Amino acid sequence: MKKKDLQAAAGISPSSISKLSKNEYVSMDVLVKVCTALGVDFKDIMELVPNMVEERK
């Protein structure tokens, strides 16, 4: 699926797609829309990387 297709299927903005591509913060609402559009659960699209959490502080 291309980014533009995901954007249309999930009903999210181009800036949200850009943020996802750059591993930047997006809201839970955006993640819910992406998961719903793809028919998957959160664990299927992301993972918690402890070092990244600490680096953001």
Side-chain angles (χ1 to χ4, degrees):
M1 175 180 279
K2 294 181 181 180
K3 292 176 188 177
K4 191 166 187 159
D5 297 331
L6 177 59
Q7 177 189 336
I12 57 177
S13 69
S15 64
S16 292
I17 290 291
S18 178
K19 287 178 182 182
L20 287 167
S21 298
K22 297 175 186 176
N23 292 325
E24 294 179 356
Y25 173 83
V26 294
S27 69
M28 287 297 293
D29 185 51
V30 168
L31 295 176
V32 168
K33 289 178 180 182
V34 169
C35 286
T36 301
L38 296 175
V40 298
D41 195 357
F42 288 117
K43 66 181 173 14
D44 298 322
I45 67 163
M46 63 183 177
E47 67 178 326
L48 176 64
V49 180
N51 292 340
M52 289 184 68
V53 172
E54 291 178 15
E55 290 174 7
R56 295 189 111 174
K57 292 181 180 179

